[in-house]
Amino acid sequence: MLSLQDAIGLDMDVMGSGFGFTPWGPDTCPTLEQLMAATTSSSSPCSSAGDAAAAACGTTEEDEEERRRRQQRRKVSNRLSAQRSRARKQQRLEELRGTAARLRAEKQDLAAKLHVVARHELAVRRLNARLRADFAELARRHRELRRLVALQRLAQQLRSRLPLQPGGGPGGAALGLASLMT
């Protein structure tokens, strides 16, 4: 850890530069092992020495007890925070399970509706095919009837233009009409 004397001696222009600030230069940055060794070596003389050395280091039993209390409070706080986090996670999981169940039910409902619509669509297609076939048959009959009507009109016109034969009517016309109709 950086001591107060070391922090006071820092160049403040470097600290104000923003990103990547460290109290060490880029070439003199200590490794994690060096920092851990420095931390244990600086704290071990005060803790291993007697009361006079502890007083000289500025650490008293009260300070140590306060540190332990803070550490205990921090542990309790972290434990409660983790518990709340797990509860939130569990609640979110339950919400997601409920949503998944609702969506599965909705999917089944939509699948059933789709099945009904597909069956209806098939029935409509069959009906449409039957109606088209009926329409084609009726159109064919209509064309045939129109042709017969046209032939009858033509026969009437021919009868009206031919002279009457003895025997009650145009002799050749009756024979011609019969041959035209077949």
Side-chain angles (χ1 to χ4, degrees):
M1 301 266 320
L2 189 63
S3 69
L4 182 59
Q5 289 81 14
D6 292 337
I8 292 173
L10 292 176
D11 182 13
M12 297 309 278
D13 293 333
V14 173
M15 287 178 57
S17 65
F19 301 105
F21 166 75
T22 60
W24 306 281
D27 298 332
T28 61
C29 184
T31 64
L32 181 61
E33 291 80 20
Q34 291 171 339
L35 286 175
M36 294 302 291
T39 305
T40 56
S41 66
S42 67
S43 63
S44 58
C46 292
S47 60
S48 62
D51 291 334
C57 288
T59 305
T60 64
E61 285 185 27
E62 292 173 359
D63 291 340
E64 191 63 28
E65 184 63 30
E66 180 62 29
R67 186 188 62 78
R68 281 192 207 110
R69 280 193 215 121
R70 281 194 310 263
Q71 188 177 18
Q72 189 64 27
R73 282 193 302 260
R74 201 168 40 249
K75 282 182 184 179
V76 169
S77 175
N78 288 346
R79 197 173 295 132
L80 291 174
S81 177
Q83 191 175 19
R84 286 190 302 268
S85 176
R86 284 190 297 272
R88 283 192 306 269
K89 185 178 179 181
Q90 185 67 30
Q91 181 182 3
R92 179 69 177 140
L93 184 62
E94 292 302 320
E95 289 173 2
L96 290 174
R97 283 181 180 155
T99 301
R102 182 183 55 80
L103 289 175
R104 275 193 295 274
E106 186 178 339
K107 178 185 173 186
Q108 287 178 344
D109 185 45
L110 289 174
K113 287 179 181 179
L114 178 63
H115 182 70
V116 168
V117 168
R119 287 179 56 189
H120 180 72
E121 185 248 354
L122 181 62
V124 167
R125 284 184 182 270
R126 287 179 181 163
L127 177 63
N128 195 17
R130 192 177 80 227
L131 290 174
R132 285 180 191 269
D134 290 348
F135 174 76
E137 176 62 24
L138 289 174
R140 185 190 64 75
R141 284 184 183 178
H142 182 258
R143 284 191 306 271
E144 188 176 320
L145 287 174
R146 287 184 63 182
R147 186 178 67 82
L148 288 175
V149 168
L151 286 176
Q152 282 180 348
R153 285 185 187 158
L154 180 62
Q156 268 184 345
Q157 288 175 358
L158 287 177
R159 267 190 242 138
S160 66
R161 290 185 191 161
L162 288 179
L164 290 175
Q165 296 289 329
L175 184 62
L177 180 60
S179 65
L180 285 176
M181 292 180 122
T182 56

